[in-house]
Every structure is written in structure tokens, then in C-alpha cells.
Amino acid sequence: MNFKLLTLVCIASLLSVNTHSLEAISEEALDSVSGQNGVSLSGELSFNEDGGPLTSSDVGNIDPNDASIVWGTCTEKNALTADRCGARLAVKPNDTDGWLALDELKGSVSFEGLTLRSRDIASTDNFGGDEDEAGITGKTVLEIGLPSEVKFENFSYRYVTSSQGRPTDVGYKEQIRHGINFNGSVQMQGNLLVFPVGNP
Amino acid sequence: MKKLGFLLLPFFSISQAELVNLDENLLESVSGQTGIGINIDKLIRLDSLTYSDKDSSTGGDLKFSDVIIGSSSDIDNVAAHSQHIINIDANDGLFIDSLFESTRIKIGGVSVGSHINNRSFGQFIFDFEGTNLLQISSATPTGFLINSSTNFESVGFQWTTNGSTFRIDGMTIDNVLTDAVFEEKNIDLSTTALVIDIASYSSNITLASACFSSLACTIGNSLGSFSRSLNLINSQVQIHGGGRDGLGITMNMHFELDASVNAIGDGNVSTYTDESTVKFAKQSGSIDVVGFTFDIGTGEANIGDHIWTQFDQVSGNFKVGNFEIAGNSVGELEMIFDFSDGTHDAVDYENKTLIAPGVAFAGQNLDSINTFMTSFYDKVSNTSDGISLFNEWNLQADFIYTDDTHSIRIDNYQTYGSGYATLEMRSGGVNSIDATNGAESFLAIGVKDYRVNYSFDGFKIGDDTSQLQTGYELLGISPAAEFTMNAAIEIRGGGANGSGATFDGDVLLSNANFGVTRNSVTGNGIYLDDANYEFHFRDLTLDVDSGGIQLVLGELWSEFTINDVRFGDKNTGSSLGALVINHYQTGSKVTISGGGAGTAKCVGGSGSDLATCTGNWIDPETQGLTITTQAMLQQRNGTKENSISWETNRTAGALGSGTAMKIDNIYTSDGYDNATNTHGIKTTTSIDIAKTRVLKKSSGVDSNGISGNEGDEVIVSGNGATEYTYVDPATADKTNRPEGLILSSNIQIKELNIDAVNMIHSNATSTMLHGVKLQNLNMTSTLSVTPIR
């Protein structure tokens, strides 16, 4: 297959987000909140570390263009005996044209201190004046406390457009638009508040 | 009560001897024994035996009809033989040494009050043979001192309704009662009771098989085998006359499991064995029953006259020291419980069970609930035999699970509710909710208007002093729920392989509200309000093999309609709109096995042990629980489908009046076409409790008043909510990291398809996406779950 891969390597980028739906953490402000609610999560997600459940011995696992093996382990891919080992998510936006896909998704992401809880917004809570515009005073929100650090290790994917949904479908053609290979960490601060608005 | 039944079992054999005349000729054939030898050949018929607590205004009759005692080989024509040697010793009192040859007790019918001669609980048969040694002497200072040893084998039990039978084969019973003192005592200023102080009691029971058949159980139709070993010490039973209403019986009881037997082997243990064994070993604890009453009640609105059992309080704790599945340990389970009367929303809830003969809802049109309820009760009549129940309860409890010495507590669990249920045996596909079933017999369970309410405050990892947290969301557990359950469920013997169980069912949870996450102080949270969950399962099999508890789900389809996803109050909070979730699966599987993730790992870093790991060292050790699933999502088949619909902007909140986004026809396939579907979504999730790293998110004082700098580690000095400090990671004692709930999972998908994502308004559909395909996903995750500090 003919494709181009654009690799971006980001090391220790620092992300600071502050919108009206994000709230800077004030630990002192939490003093008035009983610590009897919510949960703090730390962990790691790993995608297709050595391939997925589609294997090189599967019936039908053939590239319709060059008869190569499409799916295999990452060891097989590195040995050039299989074309791919990552996950693929493809969507078809309209009835007549092709597919958009995140392809060859693999690598790992780890994070520290992602918090989840329901929170009652009091009139004394200050969101820099945005609380009136958002109209959340007195409401209960789902508060997602962004993790203090997110680390990426060989996290990569490529964005492609393709003629068919499956790489093994007859007539499959694809065009790689760009690729990402992400190593490093992102530091975050703030809370994401999720709440209903409008007519349910 | 179950325990009481076994306590009294040794004495049932004595009372039988009083029912017959002594045969002096047979007595002569017994020789070479000290004392008196008695041989008895029993062939006894009783037309009826009636217990009554009827007085001028309350109570009623409990009638046993057509009672026959004879030989198991031919109860109508052959007498049951027993031999008794009676000896009186000046020092040790009266000895009665009994040998029972094969004996059958048959009860033709049991009924209550106005149901007598109309419908019955069914017919019962009890077979046994064995020995009983009874010693009665004087206790000090008063009463009778009783010791007994009972060894029964080839014990069988049969319960028959409407020509179909449930039976237990090959049961053995070995009971030893040691130094039980029977005496009459004043238990309060106005009450005199028979008080039985039990120094020690042991009971070993095994059941070779149980099945739904009039013939002996086979491997293919057996539910499996069971055993139980129970040892009690320092226990007491008080019995006195007078029920909750007029005449009747009242009992107070204290039972204490003898934990000393747990030092060797399994100790107090209950097991279920199919191809492999599930074991609840090393049981300990105690239970107090206060004010248990037995009456005959009258005129309940749906079940009529009934046996009325109720207690004022049942409290205590029960611990299983080792819960094991197929040889692999899950850990330790403990329940601290208190069933007492309570009031919720101005309604009083008591702990009582009313039991009536027959099938209370037979032949009723229950279409207003669901047509499956009408269809289920159409297959019996108002003279059919069976058991009808009304149950009401109020419970507060804590549940504790300990994994490799690390504990998690479900804190302040409360539940209350009431409802009806019916049980009877049926046979054949024509009487089944699935007409394709065969001619075999099965247990039919109906559940009607069972209103269930429960809530718990959250998890505590450590002990009762530890900080409360959520985390149940990640396990799919609702922290609070209320719903009305109506159901038709059938249970057959035999699983996917050999013995086991097979289930068919139609279940409706209506008028429901489920919490997703909840603040235990304010009660506010995220709730699924005004929900109806209707689900159906066919040919769901349960087996236990070397891999663990195996559930093969056969065919499963459901519709979960949530009228409002509310933020805030569970009934009035702001709504996110409505959700409708449909499921359709065939051939899906679930495996539950002992042992957790097992392998220690350095999460988010590198290193091979606690000292060298640059990330979070997680060591799940050996115990834990692992759940493996394979979900086979099928393409739309008529009204059965996998889909998710979210609707907003409705008129007066009416479903279907707004604009919906529907993720339509979700199904799995094997990656190369839409038709081949053998892989599905495979998941493996392990649940452990283990030490984990927790870092401070920002400098300052946290919600518990403990100060530290951003990036410092939590190091604990105890389980208490504030028993920790923040320490620079470079100098932190990593061995004193806090404990957390550890969820390790892997998900594998060959191909997951979505046919379309549609926008629907006033029945006009516009397609947003014409297809979605997720292929070759293999995602592994490790999450550590701790409280927000």
C-alpha cells in the first residue's frame, strides 16, 4: 500500500484549559464539601499492544489489491508479513461516498487523579462570573476532575479515507491523510462540569 | 427456622413410636440386649391431622390430609420396621437406641383455613432409614439433659403439585446434639417458656442430587449435589404459646457457629457441586431471632387464609472465611445484618412471610402489567396446587469483602419492600412460557407486584472508619434503586453439560428509578427516572466446571426505557432527556471464577518490583474475582435489536414527541463479512483490592484537612479517613501506600457494526451516519479506584 505518515512527537506539552465549562481546582473550596462522594481514578489503557483478535490465519484475511495478509500481530507487521496490527474505527458519513477512519490505533495512555462525582453547585461557588450565564447555580452536575497528568507511550494512529469499510473488502482503496505518534505527557488542571440544559 | 427444623429432627423419630401399639411377639425375638427391646412394624394411615390456633376471633386450621407411614418399598401394603432398645441407667438416665429400616412418610395434602378441600400446598414424601441414639437424664439444677446422635441415609424428599414432582435423592443426615438442657423457665415477668440450652450441635447433610422428575434423578436432569457441615455452640431456643394474634407459637433463638472447627479444613461449610464445586467454607458468626411467631392468618387480599410467620428482629453477623469457585479462592465474605421493623415514606414495613396453598393469581387477566403475566397464570387454575407467598421486609446491613487481607465494605445497605410470589411444578412445553421446551417437569416461579427499594452509602476500603467513596459506577452497580418486579421464571434440571440448571424467564421492572452515582449525604446525584426494564431469556444455563461458574445465555432480549436521566433529586432533578436501550443477543456467555488479575505490574511506568517501579506498582496477589464475558450482539430480528436512542425536546415529557438520535442496529461480526458472528465482544475483568499509589493533585489542604504539596504521595498510618500524610515520593515509604479497588480488564472485538445513526422527529428519519465499523480492538486497562481526598 502507498501511504504517507506524518509523525508528531510531543514531549511534555503543557495544557491549561479554562472555559466556562471548566473550573480551576481550589482544594480549599472543597473544605466545605464532605469527602463522602465520588471517586479518584488512576491507571493505564493499552491498545493493541501486540495486535488484536483478527489474526493472520483468518479465512478471508487478504488484501484484495495485492493479496497480502491484512491483519496480524505487530510482530508479523514488523516482519512485513502482515499489513496492520492496530484497531480501526471507520464511519460512513453519507450514503454514496466512502469512509473516514482512525486506523492502526495502538499504544498506551496512563493518567493520575481523574475524579468523578456528582456535585451540587452552591450560590457561593465562583466560576469567574460565568455561573450566571450558564445558569448552573443550585443544579447538580457531573464533575469530571481532569487528571493531573496524562502520559502517552507510543500512542499512534493514522487518519485515512477509504472506499470501503473493511480493508479486506473487494475494491478497497485508502488515502492516508495524516498520522500521529505521541510520546510524552500532558499536564491538566480543572474540572469539566456536565449538566442538562434546555427542554428534555 | 431452617436451623430449628434440623434441631428438632432427632425427636420426630421418637414421636412416631407413640403412634403404634407394641408388638409383644416381636419383642420376644430381640435378645441379648440390656433393657427392653421393641420391634415395631408401622403401617399407619391418618385421614387428617389438624393444627389449629383458632379462637373466638382469630386464627384458623392447618390441615395435613391422607398421611401414610409405611415401607418405602410399598407404602400402602408393607409396614416400616423399626427396632428400639430402651435402657435405664441409674447414673446416666434413659437410653433409647433405635434402628429404622426403610420408611416412607407420605402426606397427601396440606392446606390452610378456607383453602382446605379446595387447594393444597401439594403432596409430600419423606423417605429415610438409619439410627438414632437418644439419652435423657436429669440436668443440674433443673430440667432434662438430652444428648442424641442421628444417622440417616438413603433419605429422599419429594414435592408434587398437579402431577409434577421435585425430588431430592441420596441424602444423608448426621446430627449430634450434645448436652442440651430442656426446662421450663420464666423468660420475663409474665411469660413461661420451654427453654432449650444447646451446648453443642453438629449437623452434616449431603444431597446427592435434586431434580424435577417422579423418577430417580440422572446426571442429565440433576441440579447438582449439595453438602453442608454446621457446628453450633452456646445456642438457645425459647418456645412459648401465644402467637402474634391470639393463639399460636412464639420463639426466641440464639445460634452461634462454632468457629473453632474452622481451624482445620473447611470447618463450617456449604458446597454446591456440578462438574466442579462452589464452596462457602470456614463459616462463623451468630444470629439472634427475637419474637418469631407462627400463626394461622386469615383473609389476605390476594392469597386468602395463610400460614403467618413474622419476627420482631433478626440480627447478627455471618462470615464466610473462604469463598472458593472451582478450587480458586475469591476471598472472605461477611454480612452484618439487622432485620427490624421500619417506616419509609410513612409506610410501616415488618419482616413477615405469609404462605398460602394454591396459585393465587391463576387464571387472572394481568394484561395491565404485561401479557406475559396473563399467559403464565393461564396455565393453572384456581384449584391447582402450589405455594403462594406474600413477603414484606426491612433490612439494614453492611457487606464486607476481603481479598488477601484487604477489605472493601458496602456501607449502610438498606432495603425494604413487599410483594407476592408463587411456586409450583409443571410439565411440558404447552405449560411453559417457551412452547419449544420438551416434556420435562420444571419449577414455575411467578413474581407479582414485588416492590423493591434499596440504597447504600458507598464503598469503604479498609474498615468502617475509612473514607466513603463511590466506584460502584465502574462495576455497573446502582447505589440506590426502586422498582416493581413482575416475572415469570422457569427452572429446569440439567445445564449445558450434565447436571446444572436451565432457566427461561420474562421479567418486567416497572415504575423504576436507578441511581447512577449519588451523594449519600444530600441524596442528589444522577438517576434513571421513570424507567421500565423488560427483559426475556431463554435456555439460560448454569454450570460449574473447572473454569468457574458458567452461564450460557441462550437467547436474551430486552428493552430499557428511561423517561428521564435526572441530575439532582431522583424525581425532580433536571432531565437530560429520555434513553431507550434495546439488547438482543444469542449464545452469549459469562464465566465467574475465583482469583483476581494475579500478576503484579508497574502501571504507567517501568520496573519489576515496588522499589524499582517508576509508576504505580499494583500487586493483586492471589485472591480476587474474575468475570469473563462473550457478548454476541445479533442483527435486528423483528422487534429484537441492539440500539440506543436519546430523545429530547419532548412535549410534556412524552416519549416519541421530541427529537431523537438513534444508534441503530448494533451487532458484532467476525471481521470479514456481516453474517459470520462467532467472536462477539470478549471481556475479562478482574476485581482486586490492593495497595496503590495516590498523588496529590495540587498543593494545599485537602478535603480531609490534611495538607501537602502537589505530587506528594499519600502514605497511610491506619484505615481511618484522616490517618494519612502527604510525603515527597522520593522519601515515601511505599509499603504504606493506601489500598484501592483495582479493576483490570481486557476487551477484544473483531468487528462491531452500527448500521446507522439516525435523527428522528415526528416519525421522519434523517440519517447522520450510514455505517460505523470498529475492527480489531484489543484494549487492556488497569484502574485503581480511591476516594477523592
Side-chain angles (χ1 to χ4, degrees), chain A residues 27 31 35 38-40 42-44 46 48 51-52 54 58 86 88 90 92 112-113 120 140 146 151 166 199-200, chain B residues 467 470 524 568 604 649-650 672 674 693 697-698 702 751 770-773 775-776 778 780-782 784-786:
Chain A
E27 299 250 358
D31 282 353
V39 72
S40 176
S42 297
E44 181 180 66
S46 174
N48 291 51
L54 294 174
D58 290 347
R88 172 185 168 94
K92 186 176 172 63
E112 294 272 357
D120 298 332
T140 299
L146 301 179
K151 289 168 65 177
R166 300 184 185 95
N199 177 21
Chain B
Q467 185 176 341
T470 65
N524 287 341
N649 205 25
R650 295 168 293 167
Y672 303 99
N674 291 343
R693 184 180 71 175
K697 289 182 74 170
S698 63
D702 71 11
E751 184 171 297
H770 292 263
V772 178
K773 286 188 188 301
Q775 287 187 286
N776 200 40
N778 176 13
T780 301
S781 66
T782 303
S784 67
V785 184
T786 56

Side-chain angles (χ1 to χ4, degrees), chain B residues 74 97 191 224 517 768 787:
Chain B
D74 183 354
D97 191 355
T191 309
T517 187
M768 285 173 61

Side-chain angles (χ1 to χ4, degrees), chain A residues 92-95, chain B residues 645-646 658-664 755-771:
Chain A
K92 186 176 172 63
N94 63 55
D95 196 21
Chain B
S645 180
W646 174 36
T659 302
M661 181 178 73
K662 183 176 184 181
I663 303 172
D664 195 27
D755 254 6
V757 179
N758 294 322
M759 298 299 293
I760 303 170
H761 177 61
S762 300
N763 296 321
T765 298
S766 173
T767 300
M768 285 173 61
L769 294 175
H770 292 263

